[in-house]
Amino acid sequence: MDTSSFERLPESIRRLVIDGLDGEVQSGLEHLDEAKKTGALDAEATAAIEGDIRRAAELRNRFSPAK
């Protein structure tokens, strides 16, 4: 994915996007953990949440890879 357009955005906007993606990952992990504890999700719902977490994490890493 070409991230050059993203890199040209002001730092404050890039930070807002990255923080939002970090929040999505964290929220998804918390939701998944709670649902597993209570048994509230079936296998399909669990897979969907895991997929959402994975996609948000991948996008976040494209914009700002871990150093």
Side-chain angles (χ1 to χ4, degrees), residues 37-49:
K37 287 179 185 175
T38 63
L41 295 177
D42 61 18
E44 186 175 313
T46 299
I49 293 172

Side-chain angles (χ1 to χ4, degrees), residues 16-58:
L16 184 66
V17 171
I18 291 168
D19 288 349
L21 289 167
D22 285 341
E24 286 295 315
V25 169
Q26 186 62 36
S27 175
L29 289 170
E30 290 169 2
H31 179 75
L32 187 61
D33 186 50
E34 186 61 33
K36 284 182 177 180
K37 287 179 185 175
T38 63
L41 295 177
D42 61 18
E44 186 175 313
T46 299
I49 293 172
E50 289 172 340
D52 290 345
I53 294 167
R54 187 173 32 259
R55 283 185 292 280
E58 288 170 356

Side-chain angles (χ1 to χ4, degrees), residues 1-10 13-14 63:
M1 167 190 250
D2 181 15
T3 61
S4 60
S5 295
F6 180 76
E7 292 168 5
R8 287 193 300 268
L9 292 171
I13 301 300
R14 290 184 303 204
F63 287 144

